[in-house]
Amino acid sequence: MIYLSLLILTTICISIPTTKVFLKQKETQDLLFLVLTNGIFILSTSLFLFYFHDKLLSIISSFFLLGYSIFLILLLKKETGQFEFLELPYFLFTLSLFCSLFFL
């Protein structure tokens, strides 16, 4: 239950700056790719962890999720010219997810 509530909260936080960039820019293929890959890896990590109970695949998926979340935040910084406070919870969520899976 805590995982789901944190997932929803951080997804809402990252969607606000992402939506601003989508509305401002016309050519956002890189941003669209990173948003879709983050969504796919969030879904796959959740499925591997809670439905299939496969820890190795969930660690691998969360590693790629962490990498793509870093790329997403850096692309948002490049497009807006500054880091926004709303990007930080998403990064901390993906980092804590990877660390908790890797070290437990």
Side-chain angles (χ1 to χ4, degrees), residues 19-31:
T19 305
K20 287 180 186 177
V21 172
F22 271 130
L23 293 176
K24 186 175 71 171
Q25 302 281 333
K26 297 294 183 202
E27 298 289 326
T28 57
Q29 289 132 359
D30 294 337
L31 183 62

Side-chain angles (χ1 to χ4, degrees), residues 33-34 37-38 41 63-73 90:
F33 170 74
L34 288 173
T37 54
N38 274 288
F41 281 117
F63 174 75
F64 285 113
L65 174 63
L66 178 63
Y68 280 114
S69 70
I70 292 170
F71 290 141
L72 177 63
I73 290 171
Y90 183 72

Side-chain angles (χ1 to χ4, degrees), residues 3-104:
Y3 174 80
L4 183 60
S5 60
L6 285 175
L7 176 66
I8 291 170
L9 179 68
T10 58
T11 304
I12 289 171
C13 286
I14 196 70
S15 67
I16 293 171
T18 305
T19 305
K20 287 180 186 177
V21 172
F22 271 130
L23 293 176
K24 186 175 71 171
Q25 302 281 333
K26 297 294 183 202
E27 298 289 326
T28 57
Q29 289 132 359
D30 294 337
L31 183 62
L32 182 63
F33 170 74
L34 288 173
V35 167
L36 289 176
T37 54
N38 274 288
I40 289 169
F41 281 117
I42 284 175
L43 180 65
S44 65
T45 302
S46 301
L47 284 175
F48 289 141
L49 185 61
F50 295 112
Y51 186 72
F52 295 116
H53 302 288
D54 192 350
K55 190 172 179 179
L56 179 64
L57 287 177
S58 62
I59 289 171
I60 293 169
S61 179
S62 67
F63 174 75
F64 285 113
L65 174 63
L66 178 63
Y68 280 114
S69 70
I70 292 170
F71 290 141
L72 177 63
I73 290 171
L74 290 176
L75 182 70
L76 288 173
K77 187 231 181 253
K78 185 178 104 174
E79 295 293 328
T80 60
Q82 64 183 359
F83 283 113
E84 291 191 21
F85 178 71
L86 293 174
E87 299 165 1
L88 187 62
Y90 183 72
F91 173 70
L92 291 177
F93 172 73
T94 57
L95 180 66
S96 65
L97 177 65
F98 174 71
C99 289
S100 66
L101 288 174
F102 190 73
F103 293 118
L104 290 181

